[in-house]
Amino acid sequence: MKILFSLFLICFLTIGILAQQDPTISGQLNDNGKVLANTQVKIIKPESQTQVAAAKTDAGGNYQIESLADGDYFLIFTNPQGAEIRQFIVVRDGKVTTDFPQSSITRPSLLGEVSVIASGTLQSGGEVSKTVDVIENRELRERNEFSLTESLRTIPGFRVQQLGGFGRTANIKSRGLRNQDTAVLIDGIRFRDAASILGDASAFLSDFTLTNVNRLEVLRGAGSSLYGTNAIGGTIDFQTAKPQTGFHGGFFGEGGGLGLKRFRGSVSDGTSDGKFGFILGVSRIVFSKGIDGEDDAHNTNFQSRVEYNPFANTSISARFFVSDAFVRLNSNPDTIGNLPASNAAIINAVPLARALLKQYENGATITNFGGASFIPDANDPDAVQKSQFFSGQFVLTQILNSKLIFQGFYQGLQTSRKNTNGVSGIGFQPFGGDETSVFDGQIHTLNGHFNWMPNANNLITFGYEYEREKFGNNGFSTNASDSFTTRANQSSSTFYAQDQLDFFKRKLQISGGVRAQFFDLKNPAFSGTNAPYQNVKLDNPPNAYTFDGSASYFFSRTGTKFRTHIGNGYRAPSLYERFGTFFATYLTPNRFVPLGAPDLKPERSIGFDAGIDQIIYGNRVKLSAVYFYTKLTDTIGYGTLPQPDRFGRDNNLSGGGYLNTKGATSRGAEFSGQVKATDSTDIFASYTFTNSDQRTPQVSGSRILQTLGVPNHQFTLVATQRFGNRLSLNFDYLATSDYLAPIFSNTTFNTYVYRFKGNRRADLTARYEFPTGRENLRLLLSGTIENLFDYDYYENGFRTVGRTARVGFDLNF
């Protein structure tokens, strides 16, 4: 979330810009008075994100780049801490200027942060007309973060929940909407699990660890016209690191509470001419104990990237991301005590005392609950989950001429989850032996688009995307007759276009985009003789259409920017929602009970936000305020169906099925402030108010319309203090108001709504760099205390981590 000026607290950059007949950029790089010798400086075209020129600093940190044609560029280099510094420059009629009048390169504008996610092309913050947050690699290291979900908890409007310890289910709700309304990207390309019930990324959010990450970019608001399905409330782009010139490497090791052992290593090399480079990284995280002492979990991530530029106008890259994870699962929270006669009443959440919970886990009968109203997630000794994913991406960029650029990419994504549960544990458990469910998904995406610049103030993007996804589910039981298999697949074709315009010396920015997706279904396959959906004619389901428009105007004299954004979001029905079933072993004979509807319409939303950014006090303070409104006009729910149903769904067997319905309305305001109090002090604070209501209750019969899991109020604070070049302290704090969440009762077989108190979590991290006497060798010691004030809170009834500490060292060369 740090804006570009915060990167310069460590790396103080001085650049002279000279206007000549053939524009020349020259200057000096220095790090708090120490010149940066042998550092590569690149000039990048924003439309193609390809390098058009480069230079390396000499022994005095000086560089010079000559003969730049008229156009817009980004000057990029990597500082000694591994952070990528970016500055927008404009070449017009032989003159070189920065992006905005108050933005000098020695103290960049707070509106000068460079990002991709708002438009799909590199833009400076002054050009962005949408609500965007950026978390740089440097901030992630100063906070000593190691997972994607934990890194996002300070983003305004984002509600992040970890249901249990590391590796368990994680939820991200953006702007008061549902988990499936936030899209996840890796390097700008969608990541989602085709085998999950909702077809989103939620099942794998906990498996994203920060092995080789360059930055995280977040778009708040609708993004479906750019990024397709699920981008309704927000979009997260996990941008992996790129190779550096010369040989570089690093190793990090850490240990701490809950049996934590964490390791990370990386190596990178690149030629001096920028034609070839690679980076490899691997990380391993192990929790041998976890929250209850038996919640062991481990995760291994491998990330790599290769870049090859065979010709001046051609760029080829390949990226691979592999994850292998294991976690022991607990039972879901349960009700306890005297329950109300109706689930329309809200129950205050009082957890069963830890000592009583331990007795309960050991099979004891509890008669005195001590005023408790729910049982937190109890230990289940033989319930485990193994999950893996592989994501491979290939990108080709070709500059056809000065006005036309082509870019194409292919991504192959494979996901797998294997859940096994035995007879041990409390509550309902399998009879007679272990039961295993395997969920396999595949998504193949092929995309090609052109960026056309008819003039210096207009960029038009148009393209086509083909996607094919597959769903597989295997069930295994000790009783062979209870085993089953399911297979389903669908494909889609998408056409999209975007137009970006700027006027009045780039002060006015206008952008508009459209997207149309067309689906093609194939007949599913089921084991057994009584397979559902076999006699149903599969007409092509309804299409998805979206539009997007945004505008901003920057007043350079006052440092004020007004912006507004309106657009559709959508979510394509998952394969499970179209062809979902459950295998009923209690029926004679055993058979599949259908739940899905192949003809479901895509979910649709309309969203609007308007905001203002204000720079004051000589570029030391940035204040932002945003109002947002999102309405889910068409959604997919589960409910009672008219009988008879054309897909053979029986309310008596399944209680209903998937159908189109109406959704929620969420509105609110996001306020944030970023302060550079001194040259060594950064402070970021935010407050979010969210009012999110459903049209129909999420818990049937409850008459409660407030969206579950979403607090009305949320406050975040991130403060960093640096002491010279060696020592830094980082404090981040998150506080939320009370919220509502459901708990299913294994006693009454009904769901009740509980009111949970909000969390108050604070983390403190210290980092110290030891002097090594060598310019390219850095050795750091870090220590982190999580949940500093040992605040006891629950996420939807699941236990959370108390106060813990970890210590690590970092070696970079």
Side-chain angles (χ1 to χ4, degrees):
M1 193 180 314
K2 302 282 187 183
I3 308 300
L4 183 60
F5 87 100
S6 66
L7 296 173
F8 286 79
L9 294 178
I10 288 183
C11 189
F12 185 75
L13 169 64
T14 305
I15 300 177
I17 297 181
L18 306 178
Q20 302 178 356
Q21 185 66 30
D22 294 321
T24 298
I25 300 175
S26 63
Q28 182 190 66
L29 305 186
N30 68 79
D31 180 10
N32 285 337
K34 181 181 179 181
V35 299
L36 300 180
N38 199 35
T39 300
Q40 188 178 47
V41 179
K42 302 178 183 179
I43 301 297
I44 304 295
K45 284 290 291 182
E47 299 86 5
S48 61
Q49 301 182 45
T50 56
Q51 177 180 312
V52 297
K56 184 174 290 188
T57 58
D58 58 21
N62 302 300
Y63 70 91
Q64 182 168 300
I65 300 174
E66 299 180 349
S67 302
L68 284 177
D70 279 8
D72 303 337
Y73 303 95
F74 285 96
L75 185 149
I76 297 179
F77 73 96
T78 302
N79 72 6
Q81 291 73 38
E84 191 174 73
I85 310 300
R86 307 177 180 185
Q87 174 64 36
F88 184 70
I89 58 175
V90 179
V91 178
R92 294 286 188 273
D93 300 324
K95 296 182 180 181
V96 183
T97 61
T98 55
D99 48 354
F100 294 101
Q102 90 280 24
S103 171
S104 67
I105 303 184
T106 54
R107 186 182 297 283
S109 168
L110 291 176
L111 292 174
E113 172 62 59
V114 178
S115 60
V116 178
I117 197 169
S119 65
T121 60
L122 280 168
Q123 289 184 306
S124 69
E127 295 179 298
V128 173
S129 52
K130 303 174 184 178
T131 307
V132 171
D133 300 275
V134 178
I135 307 178
E136 296 283 358
N137 174 274
R138 180 189 174 194
E139 179 180 347
L140 296 172
R141 290 180 179 269
E142 287 180 335
R143 288 165 52 180
N144 199 18
E145 302 286 12
F146 59 81
S147 71
L148 171 66
T149 51
E150 289 298 301
S151 305
L152 298 172
R153 67 180 184 273
T154 58
I155 297 290
F158 266 52
R159 164 70 163 153
V160 179
Q161 292 180 291
Q162 185 72 50
L163 305 185
F166 174 79
R168 306 287 185 81
T169 300
N171 294 335
I172 297 178
K173 295 180 174 67
S174 51
R175 290 186 164 176
L177 301 176
R178 307 160 303 172
N179 302 328
Q180 63 266 36
D181 295 329
T182 302
V184 176
L185 317 175
I186 304 179
D187 294 320
I189 303 176
R190 285 186 306 277
F191 176 98
R192 60 188 186 88
D193 178 20
S196 71
I197 291 178
L198 300 174
D200 61 349
S202 295
F204 286 91
L205 288 175
S206 294
D207 296 341
F208 277 77
T209 60
L210 308 183
T211 304
N212 266 350
V213 61
N214 181 42
R215 53 172 28 201
L216 304 174
E217 293 188 3
V218 175
L219 170 65
R220 286 181 270 154
S224 286
S225 65
L226 282 172
Y227 301 113
T229 183
N230 298 94
I232 293 176
T235 304
I236 303 161
D237 190 6
F238 184 102
Q239 297 184 12
T240 58
K242 296 182 178 181
Q244 300 181 46
T245 299
F247 184 74
H248 300 271
F251 177 81
F252 177 83
E254 186 176 48
L258 308 182
L260 169 65
K261 300 177 184 65
R262 175 185 169 211
F263 306 95
R264 184 186 68 238
S266 65
V267 62
S268 173
D269 199 0
T271 58
S272 58
D273 59 6
K275 285 186 174 294
F276 179 80
F278 73 88
I279 184 169
L280 304 173
V282 63
S283 66
R284 172 76 170 169
I285 300 174
V286 176
F287 282 88
S288 60
K289 296 181 180 179
I291 294 177
D292 65 12
E294 299 182 42
D295 292 344
D296 53 310
H298 56 77
N299 177 292
T300 302
N301 267 201
F302 172 78
Q303 298 173 24
S304 66
R305 173 185 287 272
V306 178
E307 295 189 345
Y308 177 50
N309 305 310
F311 310 108
N313 294 331
T314 305
S315 174
I316 302 171
S317 68
R319 188 266 301 146
F320 303 96
F321 193 157
V322 182
S323 174
D324 183 14
F326 169 90
V327 61
R328 291 195 178 275
L329 303 175
N330 283 0
S331 64
N332 289 326
D334 198 356
T335 61
I336 198 172
N338 296 321
L339 296 171
S342 166
N343 66 355
I346 297 175
I347 305 171
N348 286 325
V350 180
L352 186 67
R354 294 182 185 273
L356 294 177
L357 177 61
K358 196 64 178 178
Q359 297 178 30
Y360 178 72
E361 291 174 337
N362 292 331
T365 300
I366 308 298
T367 56
N368 183 359
F369 307 128
S373 60
F374 78 96
I375 304 171
D377 55 314
N379 185 52
D380 191 337
D382 55 4
V384 300
Q385 176 177 279
K386 298 179 181 179
S387 58
Q388 298 87 29
F389 72 76
F390 169 83
S391 171
Q393 176 192 121
F394 300 90
V395 181
L396 168 67
T397 303
Q398 179 66 50
I399 301 176
L400 302 175
N401 55 51
S402 61
K403 295 182 179 295
L404 186 64
I405 297 168
F406 171 78
Q407 186 175 77
F409 70 76
Y410 164 78
Q411 176 179 264
L413 173 62
Q414 183 165 343
T415 57
S416 178
R417 290 175 288 121
K418 181 180 180 181
N419 290 3
T420 300
N421 191 18
V423 298
S424 301
I426 63 172
F428 293 99
Q429 300 293 334
F431 294 99
D434 292 354
E435 291 184 354
T436 299
S437 293
V438 179
F439 301 89
D440 293 318
Q442 287 187 32
I443 301 179
H444 300 273
T445 306
L446 186 65
N447 183 298
H449 64 267
F450 291 90
N451 288 329
W452 177 44
M453 295 153 285
N455 56 62
N457 306 105
N458 191 8
L459 173 62
I460 299 173
T461 301
F462 53 94
Y464 168 79
E465 180 178 278
Y466 175 80
E467 186 171 83
R468 182 177 179 85
E469 60 181 291
K470 299 180 180 180
F471 166 91
N473 178 208
N474 298 328
F476 303 98
S477 176
T478 52
N479 185 351
S481 64
D482 295 341
S483 300
F484 63 89
T485 61
T486 301
R487 298 290 183 270
N489 65 83
Q490 69 176 346
S491 60
S492 66
S493 293
T494 301
F495 299 90
Y496 61 95
Q498 178 181 247
D499 193 4
Q500 301 174 66
L501 299 163
D502 67 80
F503 305 94
F504 308 118
K505 297 181 179 180
R506 312 187 71 84
K507 294 179 181 179
L508 175 62
Q509 303 285 333
I510 299 176
S511 177
V514 295
R515 189 180 188 97
Q517 186 171 6
F518 307 92
F519 302 94
D520 181 26
L521 299 183
K522 304 299 181 184
N523 285 96
F526 298 87
S527 59
T529 58
N530 297 317
Y533 306 108
Q534 299 307 300
N535 298 319
V536 176
K537 182 181 178 182
L538 296 180
D539 298 323
N540 287 337
N543 306 319
Y545 302 97
T546 59
F547 78 93
D548 189 281
S550 63
S552 68
Y553 191 88
F554 177 69
F555 295 89
S556 57
R557 186 177 63 84
T558 62
T560 307
K561 184 173 78 168
F562 292 96
R563 50 189 165 83
T564 185
H565 174 209
I566 185 171
N568 287 123
Y570 79 94
R571 184 180 73 86
S574 70
L575 283 168
Y576 188 85
E577 289 168 322
R578 292 196 190 277
F579 299 113
T581 63
F582 73 89
F583 193 66
T585 59
Y586 57 85
L587 296 177
T588 304
N590 296 351
R591 64 178 183 269
F592 289 95
V593 176
L595 308 174
D599 61 351
L600 286 172
K601 295 189 300 183
E603 295 188 328
R604 288 175 53 84
S605 71
I606 181 71
F608 165 80
D609 63 49
I612 180 173
D613 299 320
Q614 180 66 55
I615 304 295
I616 57 177
Y617 295 117
N619 198 31
R620 286 187 174 272
V621 177
K622 176 185 176 182
L623 303 176
S624 297
V626 181
Y627 169 80
F628 65 86
Y629 174 90
T630 304
K631 182 177 182 180
L632 299 176
T633 55
D634 296 291
T635 62
I636 299 171
Y638 193 94
T640 304
L641 303 168
Q643 301 288 292
D645 176 70
R646 63 177 294 224
F647 302 120
R649 296 176 294 176
D650 189 338
N651 291 329
N652 293 323
L653 296 178
S654 61
Y658 289 101
L659 71 167
N660 284 112
T661 183
K662 301 299 180 182
T665 299
S666 180
R667 78 287 284 171
E670 300 156 343
F671 304 93
S672 64
Q674 186 164 352
V675 180
K676 177 178 166 51
T678 69
D679 288 340
S680 58
T681 306
D682 289 339
I683 300 173
F684 175 85
S686 74
Y687 166 75
T688 302
F689 170 75
T690 305
N691 180 11
S692 180
D693 296 310
Q694 303 288 322
R695 297 190 186 183
T696 58
Q698 291 176 284
V699 174
S700 178
S702 68
R703 300 198 297 274
I704 297 171
L705 297 180
Q706 180 178 339
T707 300
L708 303 179
V710 177
N712 292 127
H713 308 278
Q714 179 168 299
F715 172 79
T716 68
L717 172 68
V718 181
T720 303
Q721 177 65 53
R722 302 176 186 87
F723 303 89
N725 295 328
R726 303 295 180 193
L727 178 64
S728 69
L729 293 176
N730 180 275
F731 176 82
D732 67 83
Y733 180 70
L734 169 67
T736 71
S737 61
D738 296 349
Y739 66 95
L740 304 180
I743 293 181
F744 177 78
S745 174
N746 286 309
T747 303
T748 66
F749 300 101
N750 203 354
T751 300
Y752 298 85
V753 177
Y754 283 71
R755 184 181 301 279
F756 288 88
K757 66 178 182 179
N759 60 0
R760 308 284 189 274
R761 172 170 168 172
D763 292 352
L764 179 66
T765 297
R767 287 164 53 90
Y768 179 77
E769 181 175 352
F770 294 94
T772 63
R774 296 177 58 182
E775 180 179 349
N776 296 324
L777 181 65
R778 304 180 66 227
L779 178 62
L780 296 96
L781 177 69
S782 63
T784 298
I785 302 176
E786 296 185 4
N787 198 357
L788 179 65
F789 305 127
D790 200 23
Y791 190 77
D792 187 26
Y793 65 98
Y794 293 79
E795 294 286 15
N796 294 11
F798 289 84
R799 289 173 285 180
T800 58
V801 177
R803 184 192 295 121
T804 60
R806 44 194 167 98
V807 178
F809 70 92
D810 198 351
L811 176 67
N812 296 281
F813 55 89

